[in-house]
Amino acid sequence: MELPSLSEEEWTAIRLSLKVASVAVLASLPLGVLVAYLLARKRFWGHALLNGIVHLPLILPPVVTGYLLLIAFGRRGFIGSFLESTFGLILSFRWTGAALACAVMGFPLMVRSIRLSIEAVDLKLEEAARTLGASPVMVFLTVTLPLMLPGVIAGLVLAFAKAMGEFGATITFVSNIPGETQTLSAAIYTFTQVPGGDAGALRLTVISIIISMAALLLSEALARRVGNRIEAE
């Protein structure tokens, strides 16, 4: 019995989803670490407001988030028009826009995971490093960062899994263009709307489950390995 093979259209959607999700989490990671650190360690006017803005994509309907991105980053948007005229960068209806939408939707999960790991770091260890003459940057790089690394890995994987399954914000902001913005979720939706497309939708659903589960298992293994190494040291 032969296993059903994937069509070129399905392979394109898989490759595009992996590219979009990877770019989304890697591009948002530096900002995610910075925001998580500010929320975990600093108290300032607007702290609650920043926390609310970060978590807003979790509360808003994804279509609303996508529409706001279209208003801001579309070719006529106040940010999108600037990016196009200055750098020639167009986000709306491009795969880069899909990466932006996925990054926005996964950002709250990333920040929350990293923030919890920072709050779990023993402040006495950082204080000991400072008393030995380490600068704030060296304290962060040599003490804080290694201890928070399991949370960073978990945040990356959660954001990646969210990006792989993102649909509402993406299709609103960049539409559903095969080969350009049609990710796995959009391709599954397309297959369900055409006669005889159930088989293709089922194949891509299985692929989505496999990729997401593999990412979760890999993150668990990496986090455990990093944790064991920290304990050994």
Side-chain angles (χ1 to χ4, degrees):
M1 176 176 152
E2 294 185 0
L3 294 175
S5 59
L6 298 176
S7 66
E8 182 59 32
E9 181 182 1
E10 292 166 353
W11 277 117
T12 300
I14 293 170
R15 288 192 294 266
L16 181 62
S17 293
L18 291 172
K19 179 171 73 171
V20 166
S22 299
V23 170
V25 297
L26 293 178
S28 60
L29 179 60
L31 181 60
V33 172
L34 175 61
V35 172
Y37 188 86
L38 289 176
L39 293 176
R41 292 292 178 84
K42 304 298 181 180
R43 291 294 176 266
F44 52 90
W45 185 91
H47 183 278
L49 179 61
L50 176 61
N51 186 59
I53 293 175
V54 167
H55 291 88
L56 200 58
L58 291 179
I59 303 171
L60 289 176
V63 173
V64 174
T65 302
Y67 181 65
L68 292 175
L69 289 174
L70 186 60
I71 292 175
F73 291 92
R75 301 187 71 168
R76 296 182 180 180
F78 59 96
I79 299 178
S81 59
F82 170 78
L83 292 176
E84 182 178 0
S85 61
T86 306
F87 304 104
L89 178 62
I90 301 174
L91 295 175
S92 58
F93 308 107
R94 302 289 176 88
W95 75 268
T96 48
L100 174 62
C102 290
V104 170
M105 295 301 294
F107 194 69
L109 300 175
M110 177 188 293
V111 169
R112 182 162 182 79
S113 180
I114 298 175
R115 177 183 177 180
L116 291 175
S117 67
I118 294 175
E119 291 175 345
V121 174
D122 190 349
L123 295 179
K124 294 180 180 179
L125 297 175
E126 296 179 342
E127 184 61 31
R130 281 191 288 267
T131 58
L132 294 175
S135 65
V137 174
M138 288 304 299
V139 170
F140 178 79
L141 293 177
T142 59
V143 179
T144 311
L145 183 59
L147 292 175
M148 61 183 268
L149 197 54
V152 174
I153 295 173
L156 279 172
V157 173
L158 286 174
F160 180 84
K162 176 64 176 176
M164 287 295 298
E166 172 51 37
F167 176 72
T170 303
I171 201 170
T172 304
F173 181 38
V174 298
S175 189
N176 183 13
I177 306 172
E180 181 66 34
T181 64
Q182 189 178 79
T183 57
L184 270 172
S185 299
I188 292 172
Y189 172 77
T190 300
F191 276 122
T192 62
Q193 302 303 305
V194 298
D198 291 344
L202 180 59
R203 286 194 296 269
L204 291 183
T205 298
V206 173
I207 294 296
S208 299
I209 294 173
I210 292 174
I211 293 175
S212 297
M213 184 58 68
L216 291 173
L217 293 175
L218 178 61
S219 73
E220 183 70 21
L222 289 174
R224 187 177 304 170
R225 183 173 180 179
V226 171
N228 291 336
R229 181 177 297 177
I230 292 174
E231 291 178 0
E233 293 176 354

